[in-house]
Amino acid sequence: MRTVVTKFGGTSMADADKFRQVAHIIREDPDRRYVVVSAPGKRFKGDFKITDMFYLCYEKAEAGENIDVLFDEISGRYNAIIDELGLNISLDREFQRIRNGMYNMTGRDYAASRGEYLNAKILAAYLHYDFIDAREVIFFNNDGTFNAEYTNDVLSARLKRHERAVFPGFYGAMPNGTIKTFSRGGSDITGSIVARAAGAELYENWTDVSGFLMADPRIVDDPKIIKTITYRELRELSYMGATVLHEDAIFPVQIAGIPINIKNTDRPQDRGTMIVADTPEYDTKNVITGIAGRKGFTAINISKDLMNVEVGFGRRVLGILEKKKISFEHLPSGIDTMSVIVKNSELSGKLDYVLNGIQQEACPDSVSVEDGIALIAVVGRAMVKSKGTAAKVFKAIAEADVNVKMIDQGSDELNIIIGIDEEDFEKTIRAIYAEFIRG
Ligand code: ADP
Ligand code: ASP
Ligand code: MG
């Protein structure tokens, strides 16, 4: 028998109708033996994700506020799913335990993780599949990093005892047993971990779009679907804001060479996107695979005459960031200038320290700070084989009357990164997309 691991995102699990559709998809193919679920997402525009409600609940409990109304709303959503599916189960004891956990400060991650925990319990009962709690099979190290090999050993041994099972996504356990979550959207990572441990032939990631699109559908109207994309291209795009798959989700499947298929729960007949290790196939007309971007970056621009011959200048600047545990994104440089591009969230509350440190340890002629920067990544495995891609990107940007603040190209020629003003973000993405799609 083949093994296919399926992961269903929040919108695919938002209410009882969605559960029915998910169960229909799983039952259609007996190879779909292991299922990973997110917490229920939004049912309609303006609705709340259960995960966000749990975070809010925890914050209220932490502030000493009463959480009863909010908690009843959360349990009400699960009970509606149970009732409408006609299931003969009750999660009341679980609700009671979780509510107490909130007041007893069992942890923010514990609170957030309950969204997937409860959802997996319901789906397991509905499908008559086993339930496997992620805290028993997914492990983190003491420093909070994911313990991949230990997890793989324990989980693959455990799977041998279960022909079919449902797992809650998003979380695992610390060495002392407390719950820790991945970052937001982390159920995609759980799906990939289970696929590796199961030695699956395929990891299906079911969501609310018919595949990975060439650009964010909230910015570009009806973008084209990417038929095939490599792990590395996908990581570049998802890191830069194409949120359809978590950027760390490729690592477990990459080790085992398992392809990922992004599929639409509402349109299972659509082929979706295949994510593979490598492929010779590419669209000779478009050349690029996709475009993504993010707002919220700051540039620290440093200049000093003869910087080019001052051995150790760069190390001194980066040493200051390291002391404050700040990671940087890009380091464009000239002969006597160097810029460090950093996420605003990394710099928050630390900028003064960084600027003083640069003054004292690197003695520059000048330092300036520019915030409100957006980065856009144009990604494509075919760029290395074709000429004129950069020219097309910059023609589009110039025609859109946008000023480029930074340009960077990865050494593997997989991407071109452009820094622009945040206010030009959407129009630049649209302009680049139009230039390539026009051909
Ligand atoms: P799920 O709840 O299934 O995990 P997500 O909300 O995490 O789903 O991801 C799917 C959403 O990602 C889509 O609804 C879409 O709005 C957004 N998105 C952003 N960029 C892209 C892209 N390039 N391709 C497809 N979807 C994208
Ligand atoms: N429920 C979690 C979140 O909202 C994890 C996930 O959906 O993948 O981030
Ligand atoms: Mg997601």
Side-chain angles (χ1 to χ4, degrees), residues 65-77:
E65 291 173 32
N66 188 299
I67 60 166
D68 289 349
V69 174
L70 186 54
F71 200 92
D72 288 348
E73 232 179 279
I74 296 176
S75 53
R77 275 185 63 178

Side-chain angles (χ1 to χ4, degrees), residues 117-305:
Y117 171 84
L118 294 165
N119 224 22
K121 286 238 148 178
I122 300 176
L123 187 66
Y126 188 46
L127 290 171
H128 303 290
Y129 275 29
D130 298 337
F131 167 83
I132 299 182
D133 191 346
R135 83 187 308 167
E136 294 165 14
V137 288
I138 292 188
F139 304 101
F140 291 89
N141 298 304
N142 269 323
D143 65 1
T145 53
F146 168 55
N147 190 342
E149 295 316 312
Y150 181 55
T151 296
N152 195 53
D153 290 347
V154 173
L155 182 53
S156 44
R158 177 75 182 262
L159 288 177
K160 293 201 173 74
R161 310 201 319 252
H162 300 267
E163 200 180 312
R164 299 177 183 277
V166 178
F167 297 78
F170 193 33
Y171 71 93
M174 291 293 285
N176 67 3
T178 54
I179 296 282
K180 175 166 171 56
T181 64
F182 292 106
S183 56
R184 295 299 303 266
S187 300
D188 293 331
I189 307 175
T190 311
S192 184
I193 293 167
V194 174
R196 178 188 171 198
E201 273 78 11
L202 182 66
Y203 169 27
E204 290 178 342
N205 190 291
W206 293 83
T207 183
D208 61 349
V209 275
S210 288
F212 214 98
L213 305 168
M214 278 190 73
D216 189 330
R218 293 161 295 191
I219 300 176
V220 171
D221 272 346
D222 202 16
K224 281 193 174 186
I225 294 170
I226 302 170
K227 282 194 192 135
T228 311
I229 182 171
T230 64
Y231 295 139
R232 282 171 54 227
E233 289 175 302
L234 178 113
R235 180 158 160 79
E236 296 279 350
L237 288 171
S238 48
Y239 181 74
M240 285 299 285
T243 55
V244 65
L245 192 81
H246 193 290
E247 72 258 21
D248 292 343
I250 60 158
F251 292 118
V253 284
Q254 193 172 19
I255 294 170
I258 302 164
I260 308 174
N261 191 187
I262 308 277
K263 297 274 289 177
N264 189 342
T265 304
D266 293 327
R267 294 185 53 86
Q269 68 278 19
D270 291 354
R271 180 186 176 277
T273 299
M274 286 304 293
I275 306 165
V276 296
D278 205 2
T279 169
E281 171 197 320
Y282 70 90
D283 184 341
T284 45
K285 200 161 141 260
N286 292 336
V287 181
I288 64 165
T289 304
I291 310 162
R294 271 182 195 274
K295 294 180 180 175
F297 294 91
T298 297
I300 302 173
N301 302 315
I302 309 163
S303 71
K304 185 175 187 181
D305 283 348

Side-chain angles (χ1 to χ4, degrees), residues 335-353:
I335 301 174
D336 293 331
T337 61
M338 165 178 177
S339 297
V340 192
I341 315 281
V342 187
K343 275 191 195 129
N344 296 350
S345 53
E346 287 281 312
L347 269 182
S348 161
K350 301 176 181 170
L351 185 59
D352 287 345
Y353 176 93

Side-chain angles (χ1 to χ4, degrees), residues 282-391:
Y282 70 90
D283 184 341
T284 45
K285 200 161 141 260
N286 292 336
V287 181
I288 64 165
T289 304
I291 310 162
R294 271 182 195 274
K295 294 180 180 175
F297 294 91
T298 297
I300 302 173
N301 302 315
I302 309 163
S303 71
K304 185 175 187 181
D305 283 348
L306 297 175
M307 187 191 287
N308 61 323
V309 290
E310 189 179 321
V311 175
F313 186 89
R315 181 183 51 74
R316 280 191 283 283
V317 170
L318 296 182
I320 295 152
L321 300 184
E322 191 178 349
K323 265 187 220 149
K324 280 283 173 190
K325 295 194 165 44
I326 298 169
S327 63
F328 68 90
E329 304 294 314
H330 297 279
L331 267 186
S333 61
I335 301 174
D336 293 331
T337 61
M338 165 178 177
S339 297
V340 192
I341 315 281
V342 187
K343 275 191 195 129
N344 296 350
S345 53
E346 287 281 312
L347 269 182
S348 161
K350 301 176 181 170
L351 185 59
D352 287 345
Y353 176 93
V354 170
L355 296 180
N356 288 334
I358 293 174
Q359 288 292 359
Q360 278 165 24
E361 294 192 29
C363 305
D365 296 338
S366 71
V367 183
S368 64
V369 174
E370 199 176 352
D371 58 9
I373 291 184
L375 296 182
I376 293 178
V378 182
V379 176
R381 61 187 176 277
M383 272 172 8
V384 70
K385 298 182 202 137
S386 45
K387 297 192 182 103
T389 315

Side-chain angles (χ1 to χ4, degrees), residues 67-99:
I67 60 166
D68 289 349
V69 174
L70 186 54
F71 200 92
D72 288 348
E73 232 179 279
I74 296 176
S75 53
R77 275 185 63 178
Y78 287 107
N79 281 336
I81 295 173
I82 294 172
D83 291 348
E84 283 174 45
L85 293 179
L87 289 175
N88 192 16
I89 57 166
S90 163
L91 292 177
D92 287 349
R93 282 173 61 185
E94 301 280 3
F95 293 141
Q96 196 49 45
R97 203 174 305 141
I98 297 168
R99 194 189 295 245

